[in-house]
Amino acid sequence: MINNISILKNITILYAEDEESLREITLNILKGFTKKQFVAKDGKEGLELFKENEEEIDLIITDVNMPQMNGLEMIKEIKEINPNIPIIVATAFSNTEYLLEAIDIGVDKYVLKPIDMKKLLQTMSQSLLYHELKDLYIDKLTHLPNRNRLKKDLEQTKEDLMALINIDKFSTINDLFGENNGDRILSEFSDSLKEHFNKQDYKIYRIEADKFAIVCRDEKKDIIEFKNKCKDFADNIQKDTIIIDDNEIDLAITIGIAKGDGNRAYKFSQRVIAYARSKFEQVMIYEDSFNIQESFEENIKWVKKIKNGLKNGNFKGFYQPIVNNKTQEIYKYEALIRFIEDNGEVIAPFKFLDIAKKAKLYPNIIRVMLKEALLLIKNKNKRVAVNISFEDIASSETRKFIYEELRNESQYTNLLEFEILESEEISDMQIVKKFIKDVKELGCNVGVDDFGAGYSNFNMLTNLDIDFVKIDSSLIKEIDHSKNQEIIVNTISTFSKEFGFATVAEFVSSKEIYEKVKSLDITYSQGYYFGKPISFDEV
């Protein structure tokens, strides 16, 4: 009887008809073919239903001659709100006056009363092109306009004030509670947005999985007032937990606000979110002084330089001496990565290491460092320590590379050490234990690096088969005049001696600091007092 029956079953209609018996008969038939129906007894009620449910309604069927507001008057109002929605007029009046007026205000099609249901369903089917197009612009989960709609709307305006809202770490919520519950959370979150940002003043969009946009209908709205409105919303979200099947789920969000022509407002609000996170700000307005564009350009430049540098050998190991506190003789060197520019300039890792991690290039740098350390051991017979993170240890590919290198250079591994960064990132202690066991069997020593750097776990030390503990620079750099730091370092030193660990003090930059760590029976010292990192040739 009708084409595209499966598509028809997915649509929501608004049906307006004042004659009760006809309304009931037609509605009962429509229920069998459409997903949802909103029903109005006159044009005024139909208009109100459309205003309340605009985002859901795909198609309108309306009588013409109705009390309070007739069908054509209702259609005029609706077309002001959404000129694209398909409307079918059902009327007993076949004269040209009504039909011409209906066509003039944008009615798609009409059927004559008494209604032939086969004809009506065929007419509805023919109008479903709009429904297919609508899917390009409406998010199916929240029924909010999507990214396509946002971009189209922004192209039609000269100035926009908008905010992008990002739910923090939403992927973790999906991992914990499952994607179905994640979708329920997003639906509730979108309802909260609709409640806080009323449709008269704001347009709301869902542009990605956990990203939403708010655009002010009045582009002249005060930006500080808008920021305060966004801040209130963020505070409410953080304060009110979402309940899913008796589970309380806490959300936090970051909001970036920008003003400008559509493309610039969208682009800058995206950029300021990342900047806000780096500054631990919940809501932030974009300002040109942030130099975010320059920051992105610098990132792009460094990603390219890192890739080329890995191919062309620009990454080199530099080596900082670690001395025996009793003899002041060099016991070993820590291998530290440097990027050597083509002009010979030496670039420290703070310039590129975070970018390498975010660009998934960091594992390649670890491989370079291991090869550089082994090169120094082979050529100059020096003991060398290499830093390694839990992320490296957790990577099966990185572990495989390390084991192969150690087996290939087995005659030199007795001079190689690994320093494992002690941090909250260590989520699987069994992997770490296995790695320590494996590399020690291949001849290496293993220690814990940066112990005491805001996160310390003495219990972890007792459960790992390590040889030394490196005390973080934050506890050493002021130890010569800070009693609190002295007490903490003394506790670490005493604890380490009890369990047979050697200790290394970082950031020993003066004679006074050296004398203090020596008095606390720290085994080794590393810092500018004994030497800066130097190149392979200088060792």
Side-chain angles (χ1 to χ4, degrees), residues 105-158:
I105 60 175
V107 167
D108 294 78
K109 300 182 184 299
Y110 71 94
V111 291
L112 296 177
K113 292 182 176 180
I115 292 175
D116 180 334
M117 289 309 302
K118 179 179 178 180
K119 176 69 174 174
L120 176 60
L121 292 171
Q122 287 174 338
T123 304
M124 290 168 63
S125 178
Q126 292 163 7
S127 297
L128 286 184
L129 175 62
Y130 168 76
H131 180 63
E132 294 173 7
L133 293 174
K134 183 181 174 186
D135 283 346
L136 297 175
Y137 294 107
I138 296 294
D139 174 59
K140 291 181 179 179
L141 176 66
T142 62
H143 303 296
L144 290 172
N146 62 15
R147 185 171 178 267
N148 295 332
R149 181 79 262 170
L150 172 65
K151 288 201 163 189
K152 194 172 182 68
D153 289 348
L154 292 177
E155 286 170 2
Q156 297 171 2
T157 54
K158 293 181 179 178

Side-chain angles (χ1 to χ4, degrees), residues 187-203:
S187 293
E188 288 207 24
F189 184 80
S190 69
D191 290 341
S192 298
L193 282 170
K194 293 173 193 173
E195 188 176 334
H196 190 83
F197 297 95
N198 66 75
K199 64 166 62 177
Q200 288 76 30
D201 298 324
Y202 305 98
K203 291 181 282 186

Side-chain angles (χ1 to χ4, degrees), residues 56-93:
E56 285 189 72
I57 294 170
D58 301 300
L59 176 71
I60 297 171
I61 303 168
T62 181
D63 184 21
V64 172
N65 190 20
M66 294 185 292
Q68 299 212 50
M69 177 184 283
N70 70 38
L72 296 185
E73 291 170 334
M74 179 189 78
I75 292 167
K76 285 179 185 177
E77 295 280 348
I78 287 174
K79 285 290 184 178
E80 286 290 320
I81 300 168
N82 183 348
N84 298 314
I85 190 160
I87 300 176
I88 298 171
V89 166
T91 178
F93 299 94

